[in-house]
Amino acid sequence: MFPERFSNLPDYAFPRLRALLDAHAPGGPVRHMTIGEPKHAFPPWITGILTDYAAEFGRYPPNDGTPELRAAMTGWIARRYGVHLDPERQVMPLNGTREGLYNAAMALCPETRNGARPVVLTPNPFYQVYAVAALSVGAEPVYVPATAETGHLPDYTSLPEEVLERTALCYICSPANPQGAVADEAYWRELIGLAEKHDFRILADECYSEIYRDTPPPGALQVAHSMGADPERVVIFHSLSKRSNLPGLRAGFVAGGPECMARIKQLRNYAGAPLPMPIQRVAERVWADEAHVETNRALYRTKYLMADRILGNVPGYVPPQAGFFLWLPVEDGETAALKLWQETGTRVLPGAYLSRETAQGNPGKGYIRVAMVADADETEAGLTTIKDCLYGSA
Ligand SMILES: Cc1ncc(COP(=O)(O)O)c(C=O)c1O
């Protein structure tokens, strides 16, 4: 009496981590470097906006977002990417990007593709909602390795013709969680060209786009626009969770071609959960402000340099270009995470919990993911502990 399609889902990463570690005592003061929950301060002025508009909790909010919020989101897109979208038809707010990434597959994946079961491409390792979205719409998720050999991004161009002909959607995360790799313009051009050739849609998860070292990562929409690609080709997802340290606000957006957006909006009219009005008012102001984003980025910049200094000599260390994770090579991620916990009290995530076993093995098995979300002192202490415990004198 339960759907078979989810029967092979592995347990989610964090219950798995608890099962691995919690039967053992920590070997020191407990330090969490597992979850990607920003710890820097969010803009303090949002609380005043929330209280100013608190009476609006008494109203049903508009599903598509207030006109002011939509204008703030398209204004941000125009400033960041130089692309001018129609705020009426090409953007809508989300309760954070996770639900949007899931629901976009519901709205956009056809029942069949060239007469066969559709394929949804996802990088491997990946943000786990992509796979559940694919399964929920009855598509076949195809996990494409994003490893050191492929620059830590999936090489979708290497897929067999038979798979590409059945592909309806492809998820891509840039900057990538967990590896911190950034798709450059050439990567986007190739992927968009492939999608044009095989007529599939790109769902670009860009929620780490504002956390980078020096150069802003190029966006999928920006490159698609410069190529003159079909405006329906790319759908982008952005969030205030990482950009503005507001993971609990649950505010992001989806933007793309008018037809894709009409389909997403229609589904949400039936089944969506619109953002409460006071949250829409806050989001409007936060998208319009860049000062707090620059301050936040400077804090991460310090931590990238810290990671390079402390771990730069570790064989296989790849300096993250963006985001706030380190993807560190180890012999076995579970063994390393357990050793760290038992010897030092530091918690990190085994890479295999973020990736799938395929015919080529599990590409996350030889990695741990380390979240650099705490303040600089705490992060420095954590990284030094990891270096000393796992890599000795490297
Ligand atoms: C790659 C990636 N995409 C999407 C999300 C979802 O973020 P939110 O729903 O808070 O916008 C996360 C959060 O950790 C993430 O790491």
Side-chain angles (χ1 to χ4, degrees):
M1 285 293 278
F2 291 111
E4 271 304 300
R5 66 174 65 119
F6 302 119
S7 57
N8 290 331
L9 264 191
D11 281 341
Y12 203 63
F14 296 105
R16 277 176 91 181
L17 184 70
R18 287 193 286 275
L20 176 73
L21 302 185
D22 287 356
H24 307 273
V30 175
R31 181 173 285 124
H32 292 276
M33 301 185 89
T34 49
I35 194 164
E37 182 180 72
K39 298 287 179 220
H40 302 163
F42 58 75
W45 39 262
I46 69 159
T47 45
I49 305 171
L50 266 183
T51 42
D52 286 352
Y53 286 99
E56 292 188 338
F57 280 121
R59 291 174 53 195
Y60 275 117
N63 206 40
D64 297 353
T66 61
E68 295 84 4
L69 173 56
R70 280 184 271 124
M73 296 183 300
T74 52
W76 181 82
I77 293 168
R79 288 192 301 282
R80 176 67 169 81
Y81 296 123
V83 178
H84 296 269
L85 299 184
D86 177 354
E88 287 287 312
R89 298 160 69 227
Q90 292 195 269
V91 71
M92 82 175 297
L94 299 172
N95 279 293
T97 45
R98 180 164 63 173
E99 61 90 359
L101 288 159
Y102 180 80
N103 286 309
M106 294 280 175
L108 302 178
C109 191
E111 279 74 19
T112 59
R113 183 84 183 97
N114 286 328
R117 185 181 178 199
V119 158
V120 173
L121 305 178
T122 154
N124 196 20
F126 60 101
Y127 186 56
Q128 297 292 297
V129 75
Y130 311 156
V132 183
L135 293 173
S136 298
V137 296
E140 178 190 347
V142 170
Y143 304 104
V144 182
T147 58
E149 291 73 47
T150 62
H152 289 294
L153 292 168
D155 180 7
Y156 291 139
T157 63
S158 68
L159 290 168
E161 199 70 11
E162 182 276 326
V163 171
L164 291 168
E165 283 302 298
R166 284 195 294 127
T167 299
L169 302 174
C170 99
Y171 284 100
I172 175 79
C173 185
S174 173
N177 169 7
Q179 308 97 320
V182 167
D184 62 11
E185 184 167 340
Y187 181 94
W188 282 124
R189 280 183 170 267
E190 197 172 32
L191 177 57
I192 293 162
L194 189 76
E196 293 263 270
K197 178 166 174 223
H198 294 278
D199 194 22
F200 61 81
R201 260 181 249 291
I202 298 170
L203 303 181
D205 178 355
E206 300 183 326
C207 72
Y208 293 94
S209 67
E210 302 317 289
I211 301 179
Y212 53 82
R213 287 185 186 237
D214 301 305
T215 313
L221 195 69
Q222 170 187 18
V223 179
H225 193 257
S226 74
M227 291 168 70
D230 179 347
E232 302 293 337
R233 192 59 63 204
V234 168
V235 180
I236 61 169
F237 297 83
H238 283 264
S239 176
L240 295 180
S241 298
K242 329 287 177 185
R243 172 188 181 268
S244 304
N245 302 316
L246 285 165
L249 190 72
R250 310 312 300 136
F253 69 71
V254 52
E259 193 182 331
C260 286
M261 292 305 301
R263 286 167 189 272
I264 292 172
K265 284 182 185 187
Q266 194 204 25
L267 198 72
R268 297 180 76 86
N269 279 335
Y270 280 95
L275 268 72
M277 279 293 273
I279 306 255
Q280 297 202 27
R281 304 290 187 194
V282 169
E284 172 196 329
R285 293 276 296 279
V286 178
W287 281 114
D289 183 73
E290 283 304 320
H292 75 278
V293 184
E294 279 156 27
T295 309
N296 192 35
R297 193 155 47 236
L299 297 175
Y300 284 114
R301 202 171 280 139
T302 307
K303 292 192 270 188
Y304 295 137
L305 298 177
M306 182 187 286
D308 295 348
R309 172 167 52 76
I310 297 171
L311 293 153
N313 289 336
V314 167
Y317 171 79
V318 178
Q321 294 311 298
F324 47 54
F325 295 113
L326 297 179
W327 186 236
L328 296 178
V330 289
E331 205 168 302
D332 177 80
E334 279 190 324
T335 311
L338 189 56
K339 177 176 158 73
L340 254 180
W341 173 244
Q342 288 189 287
E343 293 184 11
T344 75
T346 298
R347 287 172 92 91
V348 298
L349 202 61
Y353 295 2
L354 300 168
S355 48
R356 271 319 135 81
E357 193 72 40
T358 66
Q360 300 101 352
N362 184 328
K365 197 170 159 45
Y367 288 89
I368 50 171
R369 191 189 76 174
V370 179
M372 298 194 294
V373 287
D375 67 25
D377 288 349
E378 178 69 12
T379 302
E380 171 139 31
L383 297 184
T384 307
T385 303
I386 291 170
K387 157 80 171 40
D388 293 345
C389 176
L390 297 183
Y391 302 105
S393 59

